């Protein structure tokens, strides 16, 4: 196995609650109040819809707000990986990921492990450069038992709700999380901070029409069937854990470009032509210089997310990215 390369679940498509739209030659994030399931292919018009999108949408009168799912793993932390993440806005490369206690950071001297004070207490996280970033893998349909669809989010409401649901479902099912028939559901709420505007986030619930007892009974039946046919769930979880641990950063260089464009468009960057003569050129250089100086940079102006929170977990419209697409 190649060291430094995270081995992640095979991806068949993407689940989003927003999209990128072309506006005067700029690609801008646009919120939505429903799910969209896409393939991994995109054209200049955007991502191509997966056949499952139309199939599920037609059964819900055109608005896709619930998706029947199963989970790949019984360990909640394998299904949902959440971390604080900082990307270089100019190169789209991941530079630092942390959990609030420790972080792995790419520097001129290679990968280092440092204390992680979380974005609120980190001088490098000013202006939205670092924020929570979650990835959820789910199974849709029965065509590929190991091929998953990925939902990415930087929304705190989605990450917190999904983490809680996965932990609870694992507990009440007797560690049979991967055998439970569940449902991905889009929810909305409004707060004083959102000024009455709906904020949409993602939840995992029982499937519509199923009781908790029926769901648990089906999980037990499927678990017994797996054991009888030789399906080793514990071995699958162990293999997935080793694969994730094989690399410092989960997203590949190609994926990072799309992630930065969609979820980190407002991260600060030094405008071209305004660097000091001997100033570091990339964010990695800046991080290295700051760590040596021990002095934080002046805070960036308050971002639109802070002044008026977005009405969805998907990021609001912001200035376009400067990094070139691969």
């Amino acid at each position: 196995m190649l060291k430094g390369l995270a081995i992640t679940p095979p991806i068949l498509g993407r689940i989003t609650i927003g999209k990128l739209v072309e506006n005067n030659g700029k690609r801008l994030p646009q919120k939505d109040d429903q799910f969209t399931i896409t393939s991994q292919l995109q054209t200049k018009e955007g991502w191509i819809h997966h056949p499952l999108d139309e199939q599920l949408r037609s059964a819900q009168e055109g608005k896709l707000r619930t998706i029947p799912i199963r989970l790949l793993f019984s360990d909640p932390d394998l299904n949902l990986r959440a971390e604080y993440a900082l990307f270089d806005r100019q190169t789209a490369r991941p530079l630092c990921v942390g959990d609030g206690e420790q972080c792995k950071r790419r520097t001129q001297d290679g990968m280092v492990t440092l204390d992680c004070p979380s974005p609120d207490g980190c001088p490098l996280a000013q202006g939205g450069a670092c924020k929570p970033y979650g990835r959820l893998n789910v199974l849709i349909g029965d065509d590929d038992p190991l091929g998953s669809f990925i939902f990415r989010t930087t929304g705190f409401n989605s990450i917190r709700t999904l983490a809680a649901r996965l932990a609870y479902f694992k507990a009440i099912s007797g560690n049979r999380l991967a055998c439970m028939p569940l449902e991905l559901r889009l929810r909305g709420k409004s707060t004083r901070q959102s000024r009455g505007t709906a904020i949409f986030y993602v939840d995992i619930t029982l499937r519509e029409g199923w009781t908790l007892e029926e769901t648990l009974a089906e999980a037990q039946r499927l678990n017994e069937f797996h054991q009888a046919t030789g399906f080793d769930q514990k071995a699958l979880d162990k293999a997935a854990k080793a694969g994730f641990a094989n690399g410092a950063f989960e997203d590949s260089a190609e994926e990072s470009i799309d992630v930065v464009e969609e979820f980190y468009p407002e991260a600060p960057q030094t405008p071209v032509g305004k660097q000091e003569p001997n100033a570091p050129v990339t964010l990695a250089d800046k991080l290295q210089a700051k760590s040596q100086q021990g002095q934080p940079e002046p805070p960036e102006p308050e971002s639109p997310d802070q002044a008026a929170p977005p009405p969805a977990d998907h990021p609001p419209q912001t200035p376009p990215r400067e990094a070139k697409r691969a």
Side-chain angles (χ1 to χ4, degrees):
M1 184 183 298
L2 295 175
K3 299 301 180 183
L5 176 66
I7 307 302
T8 59
I11 302 298
L12 303 179
R14 304 159 62 254
I15 302 172
T16 68
I17 53 174
K19 57 186 176 181
L20 292 170
V21 297
E22 197 81 19
N23 186 6
N24 295 327
K26 303 175 182 179
R27 287 168 59 84
L28 302 174
Q30 184 181 76
K31 64 183 181 295
D32 204 352
D33 62 349
Q34 61 180 320
F35 290 116
T36 300
I37 305 175
T38 73
S39 67
Q40 293 205 92
L41 299 174
Q42 63 175 320
T43 65
K44 60 182 180 180
E45 285 78 24
W47 294 92
I48 298 175
H49 286 204
H50 193 279
L52 283 170
D53 183 86
E54 180 59 32
Q55 178 182 331
L56 295 172
R57 190 179 300 277
S58 61
Q60 298 180 38
E61 299 180 352
K63 284 283 188 178
L64 184 56
R65 288 178 173 150
T66 62
I67 301 175
I69 64 166
R70 291 186 187 272
L71 296 163
L72 266 172
F73 312 112
S74 287
D75 184 346
D77 291 338
L78 296 177
N79 294 297
L80 174 67
R81 287 87 56 209
E83 60 202 9
Y84 297 114
L86 184 150
F87 288 82
D88 188 320
R89 188 61 177 79
Q90 295 174 335
T91 66
R93 288 174 34 173
L95 290 180
C96 185
V97 296
D99 59 6
E101 294 183 355
Q102 284 190 327
C103 68
K104 294 180 180 179
R105 184 176 299 166
R106 194 198 307 270
T107 69
Q108 294 174 332
D109 300 323
M111 294 297 302
V112 296
T113 300
L114 302 170
D115 292 335
C116 175
S118 79
D120 290 338
C122 180
L124 306 181
Q126 299 294 327
C130 178
K131 55 187 175 182
Y133 173 37
R135 285 146 294 194
L136 174 73
N137 288 86
V138 299
L139 301 174
I140 306 177
D142 301 318
D143 292 341
D144 189 338
L146 297 178
S148 65
F149 290 77
I150 189 167
F151 168 70
R152 293 185 175 96
T153 180
T154 53
F156 178 76
N157 289 292
S158 288
I159 292 174
R160 180 173 63 177
T161 302
L162 293 172
R165 290 287 193 180
L166 292 173
Y168 297 165
F169 281 132
K170 176 187 176 182
I172 64 176
S173 66
N175 200 29
R176 300 186 182 95
L177 183 60
C179 297
M180 299 185 72
L182 298 170
E183 186 171 86
L184 210 59
R185 180 179 294 273
L186 193 63
R187 294 192 184 277
K189 72 174 185 178
S190 60
T191 64
R192 180 185 295 271
Q193 194 176 17
S194 72
R195 299 167 186 166
T197 303
I199 299 173
F200 293 99
Y201 64 98
V202 177
D203 194 2
I204 292 180
T205 66
L206 302 177
R207 290 188 183 178
E208 186 174 356
W210 288 62
T211 66
L212 178 59
E213 292 73 21
E214 290 171 340
T215 302
L216 294 176
E218 172 61 16
Q220 184 173 358
R221 183 201 67 78
L222 185 57
N223 182 64
E224 292 173 352
F225 177 75
H226 282 172
Q227 292 179 353
T229 56
F231 187 98
D232 194 334
Q233 184 66 53
K234 291 183 179 179
L236 177 61
D237 282 29
K238 183 177 179 180
K241 186 174 183 179
F244 285 125
N246 196 58
F249 303 114
E250 179 174 333
D251 294 296
S252 67
E254 293 179 348
E255 293 170 330
S256 295
I257 294 176
D258 293 317
V259 170
V260 169
E261 182 181 48
E262 190 169 358
F263 296 106
Y264 291 80
E266 74 281 8
Q269 58 185 333
T270 303
V272 177
K274 294 189 178 182
Q275 295 94 342
E276 295 296 329
N278 298 320
V281 177
T282 67
L283 184 55
D285 296 330
K286 296 175 186 177
L287 296 179
Q288 180 72 2
K290 287 175 62 179
S291 65
Q292 293 174 351
Q293 295 172 359
Q295 298 294 329
E297 291 182 350
E300 295 286 336
E302 200 170 59
S303 70
D305 280 353
Q306 295 167 320
D313 275 339
H314 193 282
Q317 293 191 0
T318 53
R321 64 184 180 90
E322 298 295 336
K324 293 183 179 180
R325 296 183 60 83

